[in-house]
């Protein structure tokens, strides 16, 4: 009995999920992601991903955009925190320039947070591990980006 | 371990990226930089450090590639060559969003059933659409490879008819026939320069043809033709009259040349040609040596005429007279003093009058 109930619930859940997915895929065609389709197509073709469906390419683009926007927002928070800290210390002098600049410091902090969170440690798959340390072309001179997990 | 400090480290990085990725990569990176900058601008940033922007663009590219790799892996695992939606979501899960999502802990679930779909769909609905700025063409552009022409294309008949016409044609004979080797003459032996140039040309022609063949991928006729090869000579002559073989001696009537030595009898008016003609010949044969040029310059100096102010003398002046006058004046200047001016003047006049009376003295010029 319990098993039947579980299966029923499972099937209903799946139907909902399918409905949500099909809705989502339909909405994808209306939304134009900031990362152009041609760029995404070029890079996923390099890794062997073959798919004639445009929606999947859009899906990859949207996922990447989401990821980058998360990193950017984290870096922005770091930048604002630093600015507010400076203003608190020196109130007599002029306010610091309000220009928000993406710096390597903020970026590396944001990326560290992203990839060293507790949730990540469990979800590591062998084919997704990349060690940025020595082989990386973007290695920061001051800080080493030690990214594992993807 | 660091990547090497300072600028040398950066150069290594650039070289490594260039070596790892192929051509057309720069365009992709530039586009990625622009799109990442747009996303960051949307997030609230007003300007970027260039190194930070490049780093973030590189991360975005890696993310795309890893996602593609994961999706492909799952598709292959399921026995398919083409990926589908489920594979992509599985790949997304693997990359793992740091926040995690609902249903990740449930082992027996479909990847679509997780909160991942909901997250992404929320993202799509909530975020305002920021389309990419420029129209991106399909890249990389694939060039059509030009294959070697086959027999049919060139119009030749395959030899003996046993080779099908759709196979590529044989290479031209000058590519595999042995050409004459450059034979250096021993030093000290007087060299006839025309013979040398002929030999040089013989050696150069096949090489030039080979180069031309590579440039045109075998479709163009050979540029340079050995005059000994009668059949190709005709072909070349028909195509380009300037490249036809030179005429042999006696084939065409030419006006006879004036030998420069014969001009000595007309010494007064032709002294210029006497001096300049051999000089011009020398110049043609010795183009590269600067010494000869200097010599030419030195030799030609006496040919310049100066007006020296004595009008009577100018009327009757020849080349030799002016030069003699100059040399006399020079020596006069060196030894001149106030006391002896009159004597020098008298001497000058004597010398100047002298050649007019004795024209045969000019032969030494």
């Amino acid at each position: 009995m319990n098993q039947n109930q579980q299966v029923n619930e499972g099937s209903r859940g799946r139907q909902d999920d399918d409905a949500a997915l099909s809705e989502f895929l339909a909405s994808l065609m209306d939304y134009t992601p900031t990362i152009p389709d041609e760029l995404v197509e070029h890079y996923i073709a390099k890794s062997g991903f073959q798919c004639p469906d445009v929606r999947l390419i859009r899906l990859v683009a949207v996922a990447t955009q989401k990821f980058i926007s998360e990193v950017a927002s984290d870096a922005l928070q770091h930048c604002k925190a630093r600015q507010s800290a400076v203003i608190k210390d020196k109130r007599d002098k002029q306010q610091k320039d309000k220009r928000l600049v993406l710096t390597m410091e903020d970026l590396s902090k944001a990326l560290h947070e992203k990839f060293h969170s507790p949730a990540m440690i469990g979800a590591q798959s062998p084919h997704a591990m990349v060690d940025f340390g020595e082989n990386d072309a973007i290695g920061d001179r001051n800080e080493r980006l030690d990214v594992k997990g993807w | 371990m660091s990547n090497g400090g300072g600028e040398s480290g950066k150069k290594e990085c650039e070289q490594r990226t260039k070596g790892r990725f192929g051509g057309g990569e720069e365009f992709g990176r530039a586009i990625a930089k622009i799109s990442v900058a747009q996303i960051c601008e949307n997030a609230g940033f007003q300007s970027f450090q260039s190194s930070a922007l490049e780093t973030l663009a590189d991360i975005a590219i890696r993310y795309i590639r890893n996602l593609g790799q994961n999706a492909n892996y799952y598709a292959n695992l399921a026995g398919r060559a083409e990926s589908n939606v489920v594979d992509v979501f599985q790949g997304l899960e693997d990359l793992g969003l740091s926040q995690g999502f609902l249903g990740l802990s449930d082992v027996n679930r479909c990847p679509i059933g997780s909160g991942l779909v909901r997250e992404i769909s929320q993202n799509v609905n909530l975020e305002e659409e920021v389309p990419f700025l420029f129209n991106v063409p399909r890249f990389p552009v694939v060039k059509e490879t030009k294959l070697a022409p086959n027999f049919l294309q060139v119009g030749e008949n395959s030899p003996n008819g046993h080779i099908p016409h759709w196979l590529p044609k044989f290479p031209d004979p000058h590519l595999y026939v042995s050409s004459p080797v450059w034979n250096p003459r021993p030093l000290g032996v007087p060299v006839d320069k025309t013979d040398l140039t002929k030999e040089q040309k013989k050696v150069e022609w096949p090489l030039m043809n080979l180069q031309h063949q590579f440039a045109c991928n075998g479709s163009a006729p050979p540029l340079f033709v050995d005059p000994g090869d009668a059949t190709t000579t005709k072909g070349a002559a028909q195509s380009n009259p300037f490249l036809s073989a030179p005429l042999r001696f006696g084939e065409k009537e030419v006006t006879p040349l004036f030998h420069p030595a014969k001009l000595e009898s007309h010494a007064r008016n032709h002294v210029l040609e006497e001096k300049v003609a051999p000089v011009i010949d020398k110049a043609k044969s010795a183009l590269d040596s600067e010494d000869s040029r200097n010599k030419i310059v030195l030799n030609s100096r006496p040919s310049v005429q100066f007006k020296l102010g004595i009008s009577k003398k100018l009327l009757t002046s020849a080349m030799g007279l002016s030069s003699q006058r100059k040399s006399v004046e020079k020596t006069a200047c060196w030894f001149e003093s106030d006391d002896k001016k009159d004597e020098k003047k008298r001497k000058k006049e004597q010398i100047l009058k002298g050649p007019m009376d004795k024209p045969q003295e000019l032969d030494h010029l």
Side-chain angles (χ1 to χ4, degrees):
Chain A
M1 290 296 285
N2 285 336
Q3 278 179 350
N4 279 336
Q5 280 178 353
Q6 275 178 358
V7 165
N8 285 336
E9 281 171 9
S11 62
R12 254 179 269 145
R14 252 175 257 156
Q15 281 170 8
D16 291 337
D17 293 333
D18 287 342
L21 182 64
S22 48
E23 268 184 45
F24 167 62
L25 288 174
S27 68
L28 259 184
M29 290 319 293
D30 297 331
Y31 182 84
T32 311
T34 312
I35 302 175
D37 285 341
E38 289 84 2
L39 183 78
V40 176
E41 220 177 305
H42 173 60
Y43 283 113
I44 60 178
K46 276 200 170 188
S47 48
F49 184 108
Q50 276 184 20
C51 186
D53 200 354
V54 184
R55 294 178 298 176
L56 285 182
I57 297 166
R58 288 262 168 103
L59 176 61
V60 173
V62 163
T64 312
Q65 189 178 338
K66 181 172 180 296
F67 172 75
I68 296 291
S69 61
E70 281 172 9
V71 171
S73 59
D74 285 348
L76 190 73
Q77 283 176 10
H78 281 287
C79 187
K80 281 183 178 170
R82 190 181 304 125
Q83 277 190 357
S84 62
V86 171
I87 289 169
K88 275 180 189 171
D89 292 339
K90 305 170 187 179
R91 277 182 195 169
D92 298 332
K93 293 183 183 179
Q94 282 181 359
Q95 264 193 351
K96 195 168 183 178
D97 186 15
K98 286 177 184 173
R99 216 171 157 75
L100 295 163
V101 184
L102 175 69
T103 58
M104 274 309 278
E105 275 185 56
D106 299 332
L107 184 64
S108 59
K109 278 185 196 167
L111 285 168
H112 265 284
E113 278 181 12
K114 207 151 181 63
F115 294 110
H116 283 267
S117 66
M120 274 306 301
I121 291 168
Q124 285 177 2
S125 59
H127 62 271
M129 290 260 290
V130 173
D131 185 5
F132 272 37
E134 300 95 315
N135 304 324
D136 188 20
I138 57 171
D140 188 22
R141 285 157 221 157
N142 300 325
E143 294 180 87
R144 180 168 61 96
L145 284 175
D146 195 349
V147 180
K148 285 184 184 172
W150 70 275
Chain B
M1 270 169 55
S2 64
N3 263 336
E7 288 180 8
S8 60
K10 194 181 179 188
K11 277 181 196 168
E12 277 178 28
C13 295
E14 283 175 10
Q15 280 172 6
R16 245 178 278 161
T17 33
K18 277 182 188 169
R20 212 190 297 177
F21 306 117
E25 195 59 33
E26 300 218 0
F27 182 69
R29 296 181 123 245
I31 300 285
K33 259 168 62 172
I34 297 172
S35 53
V36 160
Q38 274 190 272
I39 295 171
C40 290
E41 199 184 25
N42 208 24
F45 279 107
Q46 288 156 349
S47 60
F48 317 95
Q49 271 187 355
S50 60
S51 56
L53 187 65
E54 278 179 21
T55 309
L56 199 53
D58 200 36
I59 288 172
I61 289 170
R62 278 164 192 264
Y63 192 87
I64 296 171
R65 290 189 74 162
N66 273 315
L67 189 50
Q69 274 174 9
N70 292 345
N72 194 37
Y73 168 77
Y74 282 113
N76 292 337
L77 193 64
R80 284 177 276 113
E82 288 187 4
S83 317
N84 63 15
V85 186
V86 189
D87 300 324
V88 175
F89 274 112
Q90 192 85 48
L92 269 175
E93 253 186 57
D94 259 10
L95 286 181
L97 306 171
S98 62
Q99 293 91 343
F101 36 82
L102 288 169
L104 186 62
S105 56
D106 192 4
V107 177
N108 292 328
R109 58 162 175 78
C110 173
I112 302 176
S114 66
L116 187 57
V117 183
R118 264 170 248 146
E119 271 197 41
I120 293 185
S121 57
Q122 272 175 12
N123 200 308
V124 168
N125 293 328
L126 292 174
E127 268 199 28
E128 57 176 85
E129 191 174 320
V130 183
F132 190 68
L133 284 173
F134 312 107
N135 274 330
V136 183
R138 280 197 73 85
F139 73 99
V141 178
V142 178
K143 262 190 187 177
E144 273 187 28
T145 51
K146 201 172 174 187
L147 301 168
N150 56 24
F151 285 114
L152 197 65
Q153 282 174 359
V154 178
E156 284 178 13
N157 293 322
S158 60
N160 302 327
H162 66 277
I163 301 171
H165 60 84
W166 44 264
L167 285 176
K169 72 175 180 73
F170 284 129
D172 292 332
H174 69 266
L175 289 173
Y176 53 82
V177 166
S178 61
S179 58
V181 178
W182 171 247
N183 188 15
R185 293 182 184 278
L187 291 170
V189 177
V191 170
D192 188 3
K193 299 240 173 174
T194 49
D195 276 355
L196 271 179
T197 49
K198 271 186 196 170
E199 281 198 29
Q200 263 182 333
K201 276 182 190 172
K202 268 190 197 171
V203 172
E204 282 173 0
W205 273 328
L207 291 172
M208 301 279 263
N209 273 333
L210 189 62
Q211 242 185 4
H212 185 63
Q213 288 287 339
F214 279 130
C216 306
N217 203 7
S219 54
L223 281 179
F224 303 100
V225 172
D226 192 4
D229 191 0
T231 50
T232 45
T233 312
K234 278 184 188 174
Q238 282 167 6
S239 60
N240 192 346
F242 293 101
L243 296 175
S244 56
L247 298 167
R248 299 191 190 276
F249 183 74
E251 274 186 2
K252 200 171 180 182
E253 278 193 22
V254 187
T255 52
L257 290 167
F258 276 113
H259 198 275
K262 289 179 186 171
L263 293 171
E264 272 178 14
S265 56
H266 313 281
R268 301 294 166 270
N269 296 326
H270 295 284
V271 171
L272 179 69
E273 290 167 51
E274 193 182 44
K275 284 197 177 175
V276 172
V279 160
I280 289 172
D281 284 342
K282 277 186 203 167
K284 278 181 186 169
S285 59
L287 284 169
D288 292 337
S289 59
E290 289 191 349
D291 294 335
S292 59
R293 272 199 213 129
N294 291 337
K295 279 182 198 165
I296 291 162
V297 171
L298 290 168
N299 286 340
S300 63
R301 267 187 207 153
S303 66
V304 177
Q305 288 195 7
F306 286 108
K307 287 186 184 176
L308 291 168
I310 305 169
S311 56
K312 284 181 192 173
K313 305 300 172 194
L314 273 175
L315 287 172
T316 54
S317 68
M319 292 286 302
L321 281 175
S322 61
S323 61
Q324 217 188 17
R325 212 184 295 149
K326 266 203 296 182
S327 59
V328 164
E329 276 195 343
K330 271 186 191 171
T331 50
C333 293
W334 293 337
F335 301 107
E336 205 170 32
S337 63
D338 292 334
D339 300 326
K340 295 180 184 175
K341 260 188 189 177
D342 293 334
E343 277 185 33
K344 294 296 172 189
K345 272 189 186 174
R346 265 192 285 121
K347 277 186 185 175
K348 263 193 237 176
E349 282 173 19
Q350 270 183 7
I351 293 164
L352 287 170
K353 278 179 193 170
M356 287 185 62
D357 300 330
K358 300 172 188 174
Q360 59 267 24
E361 284 185 6
L362 284 172
D363 283 342
H364 72 276
L365 297 168

